[in-house]
Amino acid sequence: MMQIPYVTPEQDPTVLEQADQLVQKMRDLVNLLSHPSRKYRLLTVDDRQKLVHLNYPTALVNNVAFFTERVRQEQDGKFVESDQQMVGFTSAAFRTELYANETIKSTLVKSHCGRCAYCETLIQQSEYGDVEHFRPKAGYSNAWSNNLFRPAYYQLAYDPRNLFYSCSICNQAYKKNYFEVIGGNQINAPETEQAILINPYLEDPRRYIRFNPLNGRAYPFDLVAAFYSQTKGWTIERTSQELWTKPRMIPGQSNSITVATSDYQVDQDFQMWLQGTKDISLRRGSSNINVLGLNRPALIKSRVGHLRHMRGLLWASQGQGPDKGAANQFLQGLLENPISQNAITPQYTSLSIDAIQTWNAEGIPGDFAWIESYDRMLEQCNEEPSAVETEAYNDAFCYMLFEHELQLAGRRRLVYISDSDKVYGNPMGRRAISLAIDWSSEQDNSVLMMQGQKLMRSMTIRELLDEARHNPQIYRQFQRYEIWVTGNFPPFKS
Ligand SMILES: [Zn+2]
């Protein structure tokens, strides 16, 4: 991760106006519906029609999500469970053309030099790249709950300062809807938040995350710098220099074949120190590495290949060949002005800085031993894709229980909230609650399509989603309220 210069897209004023109006309508709707008396209600078809008559856009009204969730929240250092009403929107309520249009996208591609804001991989022709919301627009999650909290940062959905250009793996398989804030999310005052995620427009990511040229891995520089500051009294500059000179002093490191690349004693001291360190603000580097999957196998392999290439460049700069001058100029420029150099070598600039500094600190001419070790590492790199599902989930699916069914265990009714199929609402005039699906663990639960008491079909939630993507007919099945999911569901405590 590198700092990214923020550039304001030159947008058509009518687009900005439409976005402003839409956000204002959303704000009004959330205020109107966030009344405590509505704890166990879904919006009925009639309710929605009334809202449309009050001049709320139909596409917005039909994608309002009303959830009652059992949530765990931290209060005074303890986790407390409670029911929480959530009024918000599904992703379908947002107008993609107002944030992912050509003007915004081309501005982002340029300011990001075509790289993913998070993993710094050059987004190739084969992939479009995502216009990614830093603060999630529809629902947000955190490290200790799989629930989607609503509403999310809908007010920032069209704000270019909240948009980054990202590869689909960082966005859809890792970051997803994660947005954790120390002390709790403040969706109406995001400027006051102490976010865990690093914002590359506002912060220098190298304060938190750096790279080890011995193995191509990202490591939490903030934590390591705190370790050396507290145990040796080193400044950040001193720590940087020491780690460049002796990369084996980066603790907790191994290479792709789990050979330790850290000094044994350093590792021991670091583990001891970690046990006594509870300061959560020192965990931003490691949290970002985990949440964004910055040490996923495919990425490490790509970085090791990049290191091999950079090492070749260093060798050229120290030799007597015709490329010497150009290579020298390039490497020097990368250290002096890394952001403008991105246009020449867009990938992995942060890693390149650590690698060049390390090789320069060695003070020996480039040799082939390094190249051979990278080749060995490349051969042994695990190419297995990570176990994380890359499938983007559909946040309009949810469970629904009528009030008299709250004590049901082992099964829940599956519904779909959307503007096209009219299956939301409550046609029988009963009060109901809706509950979000835990996508990390429930995709293999069994879906039972009933007709009265008769089972018509069964499949998993994942299969249902796959089929729904190609077969819009499937949504008609929802209209009968006879799709159930069996799973390990406890009765809902009201
Ligand atoms: Zn990425």
Side-chain angles (χ1 to χ4, degrees):
M1 247 175 158
M2 285 294 289
Q3 196 147 13
I4 296 168
Y6 171 71
V7 179
T8 308
E10 286 172 21
Q11 293 210 76
D12 188 334
T14 58
V15 172
L16 294 175
E17 209 174 296
Q18 284 176 44
D20 279 350
Q21 282 173 3
L22 201 52
V23 167
Q24 187 56 50
K25 289 281 183 194
M26 286 178 147
R27 204 177 288 141
D28 293 347
L29 209 47
V30 168
N31 289 336
L32 183 72
L33 298 175
S34 298
H35 195 278
S37 68
R38 291 178 173 263
K39 192 174 179 188
Y40 293 123
R41 283 197 62 201
L42 276 180
L43 288 178
T44 66
V45 176
D46 280 354
D47 288 338
R48 292 186 191 254
Q49 273 164 1
K50 275 180 208 153
L51 291 171
V52 171
H53 284 140
L54 287 172
N55 254 332
Y56 290 103
T58 314
L60 197 57
V61 170
N62 287 349
N63 290 299
V64 168
F66 230 132
F67 286 89
T68 302
E69 271 298 337
R70 180 138 287 251
V71 297
R72 285 176 80 219
Q73 273 182 314
E74 204 179 347
Q75 271 173 19
D76 308 323
K78 281 189 301 190
F79 284 106
V80 179
E81 281 203 358
S82 63
D83 295 339
Q84 192 169 307
Q85 179 198 296
M86 298 179 195
V87 181
F89 305 94
T90 69
S91 303
F94 296 89
R95 289 177 52 190
T96 318
E97 76 277 15
L98 299 182
Y99 66 79
N101 56 44
E102 267 316 302
T103 309
I104 290 182
K105 192 153 184 184
S106 61
T107 307
L108 288 178
V109 171
K110 215 169 158 193
S111 66
H112 288 57
C113 297
R115 302 173 311 165
C116 171
Y118 303 116
C119 72
E120 283 192 80
T121 301
L122 183 60
I123 298 173
Q124 304 284 347
Q125 295 290 328
S126 58
E127 204 206 320
Y128 287 111
D130 295 351
V131 173
E132 202 276 317
H133 288 87
F134 182 68
R135 285 179 164 81
K137 62 188 185 305
Y140 63 88
S141 61
N142 53 41
W144 37 269
S145 168
N146 286 310
N147 289 332
L148 274 189
F149 293 88
R150 296 175 210 256
Y153 301 87
Y154 64 92
Q155 299 172 102
L156 301 176
Y158 308 108
D159 186 341
R161 288 165 301 183
N162 191 43
L163 301 174
F164 286 98
Y165 184 53
S166 146
C167 75
S168 58
I169 299 177
C170 283
N171 182 26
Q172 296 173 33
Y174 287 93
K175 179 174 176 283
K176 295 194 276 198
N177 293 296
Y178 172 89
F179 201 78
E180 189 165 2
V181 172
I182 298 172
N185 300 66
Q186 307 292 330
I187 65 148
N188 291 316
E191 66 285 352
T192 65
E193 289 181 336
Q194 242 190 301
I196 296 283
L197 278 182
I198 298 162
N199 184 330
Y201 287 147
L202 304 176
E203 302 169 275
D204 180 3
R206 284 187 51 78
R207 283 180 54 201
Y208 306 96
I209 298 172
R210 293 198 183 181
F211 294 86
N212 183 347
L214 297 181
N215 60 13
R217 287 179 159 261
Y219 71 90
F221 181 73
D222 51 353
L223 196 62
V224 175
F227 165 62
Y228 282 118
S229 162
Q230 290 177 21
T231 56
K232 293 193 188 290
W234 291 353
T235 61
I236 291 194
E237 290 67 33
R238 171 92 193 264
T239 302
S240 300
Q241 286 297 337
E242 295 279 351
L243 297 185
W244 285 331
T245 312
K246 286 165 272 180
R248 290 182 63 83
M249 290 183 70
I250 305 169
Q253 300 286 299
S254 64
N255 67 18
S256 53
I257 42 173
T258 64
V259 172
T261 52
S262 296
D263 181 84
Y264 178 76
Q265 195 53 49
V266 166
D267 248 3
Q268 297 291 310
D269 295 347
F270 182 68
Q271 290 306 328
M272 282 289 287
W273 174 81
L274 260 191
Q275 284 169 16
T277 305
K278 298 277 177 268
D279 186 355
I280 185 173
S281 68
L282 290 178
R283 305 298 171 100
R284 283 188 79 195
S286 55
S287 295
N288 278 263
I289 291 169
N290 288 338
V291 167
L292 300 169
L294 295 184
N295 281 331
R296 54 189 188 254
L299 206 47
I300 290 178
K301 180 162 189 177
S302 191
R303 284 200 211 111
V304 171
H306 181 77
L307 281 171
R308 191 191 189 286
H309 167 74
M310 295 299 291
R311 187 72 188 180
L313 213 56
L314 184 78
W315 191 64
S317 80
Q318 292 171 339
Q320 296 304 323
D323 299 335
K324 180 184 166 76
N328 245 324
Q329 200 181 355
F330 172 77
L331 293 172
Q332 206 51 39
L334 189 72
L335 296 183
E336 282 165 10
N337 198 351
I339 290 175
S340 75
Q341 288 286 327
N342 289 341
I344 306 168
T345 176
Q347 295 202 101
Y348 316 128
T349 303
S350 191
L351 167 71
S352 302
I353 293 170
D354 290 321
I356 297 166
Q357 294 282 17
T358 301
W359 297 330
N360 283 342
E362 281 185 314
I364 49 165
D367 59 28
F368 291 107
W370 277 86
I371 299 219
E372 278 166 21
S373 85
Y374 288 139
D375 284 348
R376 262 201 314 279
M377 247 190 277
L378 279 173
E379 274 166 29
Q380 287 149 349
C381 265
N382 180 5
E383 267 189 283
E384 288 287 303
S386 119
V388 177
E389 291 287 332
T390 55
E391 212 171 281
Y393 61 72
N394 193 325
D395 69 353
F397 282 93
C398 63
Y399 298 126
M400 190 183 81
L401 291 175
F402 292 123
E403 202 176 23
H404 71 278
E405 295 167 341
L406 293 181
Q407 293 308 306
L408 267 184
R411 64 178 189 150
R412 286 178 179 176
R413 182 185 286 102
L414 188 68
V415 298
Y416 184 75
I417 315 164
S418 139
D419 56 339
S420 55
D421 54 81
K422 314 291 180 205
V423 298
Y424 51 76
N426 192 340
M428 286 162 254
R430 294 180 201 141
R431 301 204 301 174
I433 63 166
S434 53
L435 302 153
I437 297 171
D438 179 351
W439 293 100
S440 63
S441 64
E442 294 181 31
Q443 294 192 57
D444 293 318
N445 281 352
S446 286
V447 175
L448 308 177
M449 287 193 174
M450 310 292 290
Q451 201 163 47
Q453 297 296 313
K454 200 169 147 209
L455 176 67
M456 301 305 286
R457 281 179 74 185
S458 76
M459 58 183 90
T460 64
I461 296 186
R462 189 200 306 257
E463 286 162 351
L464 178 79
L465 282 181
D466 279 347
E467 187 170 333
R469 221 166 274 149
H470 318 119
N471 177 13
Q473 296 282 333
I474 203 127
Y475 295 114
R476 293 203 186 153
Q477 306 277 340
F478 285 100
Q479 292 176 345
R480 293 201 304 268
Y481 283 81
E482 287 185 329
I483 298 184
W484 290 85
V485 172
T486 56
N488 186 25
F489 303 121
F492 187 80
K493 286 177 252 164
S494 56

